[in-house]
Amino acid sequence: LVTQNVDGLHSKAGSKNVVDLHGRNDTVVCRSCAARRPRVDFQEELEAVNAEWMAAFLPQASSSPEDIRADGDAQLAHGDFREFRVPGCSLCGGG
């Protein structure tokens, strides 16, 4: 089964040999060593290492709900991301 869905529902429903054409949104894959980890764990780490940046630049849900989209993307007025940190892979240190 080849799917463009990124939610993993075909696999959860029991389909075998699923090819996720656009990847999965529930798993993060290290581009250096191909290690996989749950997206929710990576999100928690991103938030922890970027707490100050997020407080300063991420729109608050109550201020502009239209700026935070259903797919999790956000429209940010701030364009300088040099201080935003992406944690390295816990296995190889790469990204």
Side-chain angles (χ1 to χ4, degrees), residues 3-8 19-27 36:
T3 179
Q4 293 184 51
N5 295 345
V6 295
D7 55 18
V19 175
D20 297 300
L21 196 59
H22 298 296
R24 302 265 306 254
N25 66 2
D26 63 344
T27 305
R36 295 176 178 272

Side-chain angles (χ1 to χ4, degrees), residues 2 5 13 32 35 55 61 65 83 86:
V2 177
N5 295 345
S32 297
E83 299 299 318
V86 178

Side-chain angles (χ1 to χ4, degrees), residues 11-34:
S11 295
K12 290 177 185 171
S15 296
K16 304 291 184 209
N17 300 320
V18 177
V19 175
D20 297 300
L21 196 59
H22 298 296
R24 302 265 306 254
N25 66 2
D26 63 344
T27 305
V28 175
V29 180
C30 175
R31 296 183 313 175
S32 297
C33 73

Side-chain angles (χ1 to χ4, degrees), residues 46-80:
L46 272 175
E47 291 176 11
V49 301
N50 291 293
E52 290 180 29
W53 190 94
M54 291 173 61
F57 303 114
L58 189 65
Q60 299 302 310
S62 61
S63 65
S64 300
E66 68 278 359
D67 288 342
I68 300 178
R69 315 234 166 92
D71 61 2
D73 287 349
Q75 179 65 36
L76 302 177
H78 184 71
D80 183 356

